[in-house]
């Protein structure tokens, strides 16, 4: 049976999405039962429920289900040949004020691929699996891509076992919660001991590009590099009424000039610079702030581009601080950079990109698909370090995400699923002829 | 005896300043016993102690002491004629992290004037008084110029009686504390029922102008007008990684442009604009803020100048918000102004200014004195609404105030006292010849 002849069950995917949203449905924003967000924190009771549900549904399809030592679930549908499965994966955990699509779409579309195989009596050349990665969000336990990064050998299971929750009044550890909900499995959490052949992920864009450009599918070729700094500006606290402009060392005025400059530098270098947190001291209406600290989130498609942005930021901020507020008696202000985290650029696998591109172009026409990079990190960043990885975006309404009103239409979700289905079949075919 | 022939007691004023600092000495910044700040919140136990001390000291000089219904103390030294006293006043309460001079210098210099009269056997033409105004700072009970404004009829005693403390773990009312420390007097707190003829106040500058310009005395001709607004900027919360620059409505970027613009407008109009508090939401490193609110403190020497600044601020902020972040899909940002408080410009009395000017110029030479305006409000703003008022500044080291390290040299303090002494005598002489 040629793959293109597979019959799909229209509407079943979106029905499944809304069905699983019962596990944590919260924050109604409309009158329909489907118009709520979802709060399903990693390893919570609600997360256990959806994991149990996922186990049962994949079991019904004849899958072998592996639970690894950090709570990742691998549901593997058999192929004609044995070998590592071609996988589809994402996550079923959500942000505290999450929506119905972030991560969920990827796992349930993978499930829908397997259901379609089953409905059509289709057997792939090699096993095909669906992975539900544990704690992608990093909300309850504050580290994103947590369990996929353990699987990829980017950190040890011991490191994450001891991490404590930040959303419980009495913090509990990851290991405690894995045991409590029965998902501390015995399969090694390791890409060598529990290998997969490839990883495909379908995800909502969480940004406005596809919607603005009226495209159906984003063929994601990589994930931009980013760095986080904490920037500290030190001036002098003085009375707002008695201190002439020329005698000030106003840390907020200087920090404001930096925020504006960072935006200019981002424009100039086709990158992104954003300030999400800003605190000042002493925070009194009639006192000029002597200290401002702010987070600086800088991103670029390439590591080199990001390095250029960082260099310019540091040089320009120094100049702004040295110049001060035109003060005669005050010293120049000081600026310090505290490095928080750097995430290098990710480049997805050419064969996987090719499979996604051929699939989406055939389904929706080249004019309705674009190659793009992802602004945010996903579990595929972890897998990409070890196995060929491909990534697909569908549009997000107004670019909204991490919000109960996160939305993609049923048609957009189904478009993503169909692209995933055919991309995985193409990759399976490439494996069969020894080209992947 | 001509006033100029009065002999002063060098060093006694500064000794008295350090003596009273025992009532609340705190926050050592040097090794000497005089190198601390003072914490003496209005109507606290320490405030009671300094009030009791002031009562005893003025009693010894033969003063009549009146305590009014809101805790103001009037110590009146008799003159040759009866009639309302020519007064010198300021406050003995401090900020929580206050220094040894703010307010205190004015009251104790007034006391030193009376001591000098007594030492010299000098009797003024009319009674001369010293006033210790209650709660000028507005720190414990959050309203500055509290009791002087009741005396001036700018608000009622009932309004302030019910105000609650913000620095006690269990809030107490003004009335409760007046009763508790024994300073709920029976003299009406009213400029008509308990009149004074004039008010002179000596104060530290709390700014850097005299120090920068190497002047000894500031002849203060008025107090600048000021207005406080809360400015609210509303944009859109979006992911810092997935939202292109052109699709943003970044409330912090817009607010930063406003902070920079406010500084430009202040320069252009020879006024002051300052932002002391800024809060943003949601305050997450990888989320573009959708809401920023900040206080805007704008000041100008004249009411008209302040009105011009306000108009420009509103126009320019609207333009900045409308322009947005160059967004295609997001709406322009919104900006709202919430008015908090307006304090009109104060112009001190010409006769009083003349007395201060003649006094300071004779003592230190015209080249060492300048006419200036006060950036901050003082009890003299209240009295100026009802009686002729004059005001004197001495330099503040580095312009520092509301800080334990607030400092003026013993010589500077004595210079201020001598200026006050002669100004009051001059005014008394003008009264005697019917010219004041």
């Amino acid at each position: 049976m040629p793959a293109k002849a597979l019959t799909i069950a229209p509407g079943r995917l979106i029905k499944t999405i809304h069905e699983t949203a019962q596990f944590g449905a919260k924050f109604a924003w409309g009158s329909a039962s489907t118009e709520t967000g979802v709060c399903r924190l990693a390893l919570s009771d609600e997360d256990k429920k959806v994991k149990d549900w996922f186990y049962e549904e994949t079991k019904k399809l004849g899958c072998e289900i592996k639970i690894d030592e950090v709570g990742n679930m691998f549901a593997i549908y058999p192929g004609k040949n044995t070998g590592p499965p071609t996988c589809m994966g994402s996550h079923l955990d959500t942000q505290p004020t999450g929506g119905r699509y972030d991560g969920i779409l990827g796992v349930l579309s993978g499930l829908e691929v397997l259901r379609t195989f089953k409905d059509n009596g289709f057997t792939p050349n090699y096993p095909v699996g669906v992975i539900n990665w544990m704690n992608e969000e990093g909300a309850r336990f504050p580290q994103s891509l947590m369990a996929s990064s353990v699987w990829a050998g980017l950190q040890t299971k011991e490191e994450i076992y001891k991490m404590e929750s930040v959303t419980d009044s009495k913090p509990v550890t990851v290991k405690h919660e894995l045991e409590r909900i029965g998902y501390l499995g015995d399969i090694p959490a390791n890409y060598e001991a529990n290998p997969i052949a490839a990883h495909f992920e379908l995800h909502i864009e969480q940004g406005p590009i596809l919607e603005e450009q009226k495209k159906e599918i984003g063929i994601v070729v990589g994930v931009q590099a980013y760095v986080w700094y904490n920037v500290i500006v030190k001036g002098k606290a003085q009375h707002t009424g008695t201190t002439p402009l020329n005698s000030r060392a106003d840390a907020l005025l200087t920090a404001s000039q930096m925020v504006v400059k960072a935006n200019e530098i981002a424009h100039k270098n086709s990158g992104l610079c954003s300030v999400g947190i800003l605190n000042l001291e002493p925070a009194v209406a009639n006192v000029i702030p002597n200290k401002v600290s702010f987070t600086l989130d800088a991103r670029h498609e390439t590591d080199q581009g990001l390095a250029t942005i960082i260099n310019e930021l540091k040089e320009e901020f120094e100049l702004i601080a040295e110049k001060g507020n035109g003060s005669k008696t005050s010293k120049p202000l000081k600026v310090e950079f505290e490095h928080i985290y750097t995430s290098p650029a990710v480049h997805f696998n050419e064969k996987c990109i090719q499979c996604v591109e051929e699939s989406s172009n055939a389904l929706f026409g080249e004019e309705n698909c674009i190659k793009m990079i992802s602004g945010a990190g996903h579990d595929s960043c972890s897998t990409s370090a070890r196995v060929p990885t491909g990534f697909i975006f569908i549009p997000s309404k107004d670019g909204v995400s991490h919000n109960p009103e996160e939305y993609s239409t049923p048609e957009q979700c189904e478009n993503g699923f169909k692209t995933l289905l055919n991309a995985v079949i193409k990759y399976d075919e490439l494996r069969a002829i020894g080209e992947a």
Side-chain angles (χ1 to χ4, degrees), chain A residues 170-287:
Chain A
K170 195 178 167 188
V172 286
T173 64
V174 167
K175 188 162 188 198
H176 179 275
E177 289 298 276
L178 280 169
E179 284 173 336
R180 185 183 69 82
I181 71 166
Y183 278 87
L184 182 68
D186 53 9
I187 301 293
N190 182 274
Y191 68 99
E192 289 174 316
N194 181 28
I196 66 174
H199 189 260
F200 285 86
E201 184 166 1
L202 168 63
H203 207 280
I204 57 169
E205 183 199 333
Q206 303 181 282
I209 297 171
L210 292 173
E211 188 178 65
E212 277 180 42
Q213 301 194 15
K214 299 192 179 11
K215 304 290 181 183
E216 294 299 341
I217 295 293
I219 303 150
V220 183
V221 298
V223 181
Q224 67 187 345
Y226 71 90
V227 64
W228 283 5
Y229 282 97
N230 193 34
V231 181
I232 300 156
V233 181
K234 289 179 181 169
K236 189 173 167 188
Q238 289 170 299
H239 194 297
T240 58
T242 62
T243 313
L245 296 180
N246 288 337
S247 302
R248 299 180 173 206
D250 182 337
L252 183 62
L253 177 58
T254 295
S256 297
Q257 291 166 337
M258 290 173 180
V259 172
V260 173
K261 178 60 74 177
N263 185 257
E264 289 171 18
I265 290 171
H267 270 288
K268 181 185 155 200
N269 292 285
S270 303
L272 301 174
C273 289
S274 318
V275 177
I277 301 174
L278 185 147
N279 292 303
L280 51 78
E281 293 174 14
V284 174
N286 62 352
V287 180

Side-chain angles (χ1 to χ4, degrees), chain A residues 19 45 55 71 95 100 135 162 175 205 225 240 289 335 360 365 389 403 416:
Chain A
E19 183 184 340
D45 291 347
Y55 187 98
Q95 288 282 329
R100 293 181 166 233
N135 192 26
K162 65 188 176 195
K175 188 162 188 198
E205 183 199 333
T240 58
V335 59
S360 64
T389 296
N403 187 301

Side-chain angles (χ1 to χ4, degrees), chain A residues 84-101:
Chain A
T86 300
C87 282
M88 303 166 286
S90 199
H91 58 96
L92 291 173
D93 72 311
T94 75
Q95 288 282 329
T97 57
R100 293 181 166 233
Y101 303 90

Side-chain angles (χ1 to χ4, degrees), chain A residues 225-227 229 265 269 298-315 342-345:
Chain A
Y226 71 90
V227 64
Y229 282 97
I265 290 171
N269 292 285
R299 305 192 185 221
H300 195 273
E301 200 169 326
T302 66
D303 294 325
Q304 182 50 47
L306 183 60
T308 303
I309 287 176
I310 295 167
N311 286 340
E312 288 192 21
L313 285 168
K314 288 187 173 175
E315 275 177 31
T342 295
S343 176

Side-chain angles (χ1 to χ4, degrees), chain A residues 121-197:
Chain A
F122 174 78
T123 304
N125 296 300
Y126 288 90
V128 171
V130 184
I131 306 172
N132 174 27
W133 297 105
M134 194 280 287
N135 192 26
E136 191 269 355
E137 293 290 2
R140 187 180 182 205
F141 302 99
Q143 187 203 314
S144 55
L145 319 185
M146 179 179 267
S148 59
S149 71
V150 174
W151 176 85
L154 305 176
Q155 65 179 348
T156 66
K157 66 183 180 194
E158 287 76 17
E159 284 173 302
I160 74 150
Y161 276 165
K162 65 188 176 195
M163 282 196 190
E164 292 192 330
S165 59
V166 293
T167 53
D168 299 300
S169 56
K170 195 178 167 188
V172 286
T173 64
V174 167
K175 188 162 188 198
H176 179 275
E177 289 298 276
L178 280 169
E179 284 173 336
R180 185 183 69 82
I181 71 166
Y183 278 87
L184 182 68
D186 53 9
I187 301 293
N190 182 274
Y191 68 99
E192 289 174 316
N194 181 28
I196 66 174

